Amino acid sequence: MSPNGDIEVTHLSLPWGSLNKNLNCDVKFSRNIETVEALVPEPCFRFERESLWRHRLEVKAPSACRDEVHISEAENGWSCGAKCGQGSNDGYALYPIRFLTNITSHIEWNLARSVDVTAVLSIRDQSISLEGKKNAHCKQHQIARAEQIRASVIMQQAIRKYGPSGRVIVVSYESLMMLKEPYLYRIYESLGIDSKYSPDLTK
């Protein structure tokens, strides 16, 4: 969040969420990872598995989730981005423990709520990305590769539809690490950010 509250950055992974370490790469989970419409603001987010926990039910969703973001069990013509919470979960969007987010519909979901949204796709070399995924998330090559392909299709769809308008910007991690500040400042320029801040790009 920027100091004046005008800009908010949300990290979105494909897939997002986690599973028990022993099940994280189980075929029955990986083949059926759900794709949701949008990733909603954090105060309005809740995992579906938490929706029956007593201590969670005592924490009601902020009124802004219903009144401004239009996440509600009521038939109001708006989408909740994921499964709409019911009863004590009203105002929350309920998410599976692990899911993919459709970037195209995520952009459209926000635009419908008058949010000026831009998706920055951070891309890595496929072989490096796959090895990193296998090391930390999924040791089974075929399943890890299948998730990578699904994520690639989602990103390609978003680039085709919203790349020309500038609502989707593609950033190469390897290019950033090689070119450093000139490449970083070009990203800033594309996002309308007036800054010369540079993180440590040596690691």
Side-chain angles (χ1 to χ4, degrees), residues 128-146:
I128 296 175
S129 175
L130 183 60
E131 288 306 311
K133 183 179 182 68
K134 288 164 61 178
N135 181 58
H137 300 289
C138 180
K139 296 184 182 301
Q140 295 189 38
H141 178 87
Q142 289 183 323
I143 298 175
R145 178 60 181 148

Side-chain angles (χ1 to χ4, degrees), residues 93-164:
L94 305 182
Y95 287 82
I97 193 170
R98 188 168 170 84
F99 60 90
L100 293 157
T101 302
N102 185 312
I103 298 171
T104 302
S105 59
H106 176 78
I107 292 172
E108 293 166 349
W109 191 91
N110 280 276
L111 291 176
R113 289 157 175 78
S114 300
V115 176
D116 187 8
V117 59
T118 301
V120 180
L121 308 184
S122 179
I123 307 297
R124 293 217 63 177
D125 175 89
Q126 279 196 346
S127 60
I128 296 175
S129 175
L130 183 60
E131 288 306 311
K133 183 179 182 68
K134 288 164 61 178
N135 181 58
H137 300 289
C138 180
K139 296 184 182 301
Q140 295 189 38
H141 178 87
Q142 289 183 323
I143 298 175
R145 178 60 181 148
E147 286 191 352
Q148 188 181 55
I149 291 172
R150 288 185 64 185
S152 177
V153 170
I154 288 172
M155 289 188 284
Q156 289 172 20
Q157 292 171 342
I159 292 169
R160 280 195 292 267
K161 184 162 185 178
Y162 285 109

Side-chain angles (χ1 to χ4, degrees), residues 10 12-13 16-19 33-51 69 71 79-85 89 91-102 105-106 109-110 113:
T10 301
L12 191 161
S13 295
W16 203 90
S18 63
L19 286 173
I33 293 179
E34 184 178 343
T35 300
V36 300
E37 181 183 6
L39 185 63
V40 304
E42 193 275 335
C44 311
F45 176 103
R46 177 169 282 178
F47 283 113
E48 190 170 0
R49 65 173 180 171
E50 302 172 328
S51 64
V69 190
I71 296 174
S79 160
C80 294
K83 182 178 178 180
C84 296
N89 289 295
Y92 286 111
L94 305 182
Y95 287 82
I97 193 170
R98 188 168 170 84
F99 60 90
L100 293 157
T101 302
N102 185 312
S105 59
H106 176 78
W109 191 91
N110 280 276
R113 289 157 175 78

Side-chain angles (χ1 to χ4, degrees), residues 59-101:
V59 181
K60 304 303 181 185
S63 60
C65 294
R66 289 180 292 272
D67 301 337
E68 299 177 26
V69 190
H70 305 293
I71 296 174
S72 174
E73 63 180 329
E75 294 293 335
N76 55 14
W78 294 89
S79 160
C80 294
K83 182 178 178 180
C84 296
Q86 304 286 319
S88 296
N89 289 295
D90 184 30
Y92 286 111
L94 305 182
Y95 287 82
I97 193 170
R98 188 168 170 84
F99 60 90
L100 293 157
T101 302

